[in-house]
Amino acid sequence: MNLKSHIHPHKLFEMILLSLFGVLMYISQVIMQALPNIEIVSLLIILITRKFGVRALYSIYVFVGCEILTYGIGIWNINYLYVWLILWLAVYILRKIDNTIVYALISAIFGILFGSFCSIPYFLIGGFSMGMANIIAGINFDFLHFAGNLILTLLLYRPLTNIMNKLIKR
């Protein structure tokens, strides 16, 4: 009986690539943390989901794992366990569509709703008033998130899609 594990080189390359995308999301988040709720993680999740489908979840949870390892566990990064999944699901359903406007709108809507999605634990912990207080306290950041996601996706979706396609074909 041969106990040697056989990993297909293509599968190994894909695992490494998906891990690197997760790390890229983390590094981009760290680099852009001075800009309130302006990030390219949403755009990267869109690109990776369109290209890799369900396997994109691996990148998302590498990113979330890096965040938790760096900053510890708190409600904000517990939210990351499900909030990025919402964006992934929206893109996964529409992944066959290759349209900058569609993904800019998805990203923008996700940005404006991000605070509401992240308020779910506050509703559960402290009831309606605590959940609403959290949403209201963060609404200015959600508008920034909306605008940032819209603009970054409009500007970078096509060039990053082209770069990713060229790199992956090699």
Side-chain angles (χ1 to χ4, degrees), residues 122-123 126-133:
Y122 296 99
F123 281 101
F128 184 78
S129 60
M130 186 176 188
M132 287 307 296

Side-chain angles (χ1 to χ4, degrees), residues 1-157:
M1 177 181 207
N2 185 358
L3 298 176
K4 200 186 249 187
S5 174
H6 295 284
I7 298 176
H8 191 278
H10 177 73
K11 293 258 187 214
L12 180 61
F13 173 77
E14 188 173 274
M15 284 177 59
I16 292 168
L17 186 62
L18 289 168
S19 297
L20 289 173
F21 279 127
V23 171
L24 178 62
M25 285 184 240
Y26 169 74
I27 291 169
S28 72
Q29 186 90 334
V30 170
I31 289 171
M32 297 179 77
Q33 69 186 355
L35 303 171
N37 284 24
I38 309 293
E39 45 82 10
I40 63 166
V41 173
S42 298
L43 175 57
L44 293 172
I45 289 173
I46 289 167
L47 297 174
I48 296 163
T49 300
R50 287 205 61 248
K51 190 71 175 173
F52 294 100
V54 172
R55 296 181 313 272
L57 292 170
Y58 187 78
S59 298
I60 292 169
Y61 290 106
V62 165
F63 162 64
V64 172
C66 289
E67 290 277 323
I68 290 172
L69 286 172
T70 303
Y71 303 112
I73 296 178
I75 289 179
W76 69 271
N77 57 20
I78 296 300
N79 294 333
Y80 277 21
L81 294 172
Y82 68 86
V83 78
W84 298 111
L85 187 61
I86 295 168
L87 176 61
W88 172 85
L89 182 59
V91 175
Y92 184 77
I93 290 168
L94 301 172
R95 72 187 179 281
K96 301 294 182 191
I97 298 170
D98 185 18
N99 185 297
T100 303
I101 303 297
V102 167
Y103 293 110
L105 290 174
I106 289 171
S107 190
I109 292 166
F110 177 75
I112 196 79
L113 294 175
F114 191 87
S116 296
F117 293 146
C118 290
S119 293
I120 292 170
Y122 296 99
F123 281 101
L124 298 174
I125 294 166
F128 184 78
S129 60
M130 186 176 188
M132 287 307 296
N134 191 63
I135 290 171
I136 291 166
I139 196 73
N140 291 337
F141 293 104
D142 292 333
F143 282 115
L144 288 171
H145 205 172
F146 170 88
N149 280 10
L150 180 68
I151 293 166
L152 289 172
T153 304
L154 285 172
L155 292 174
L156 298 175
Y157 173 81

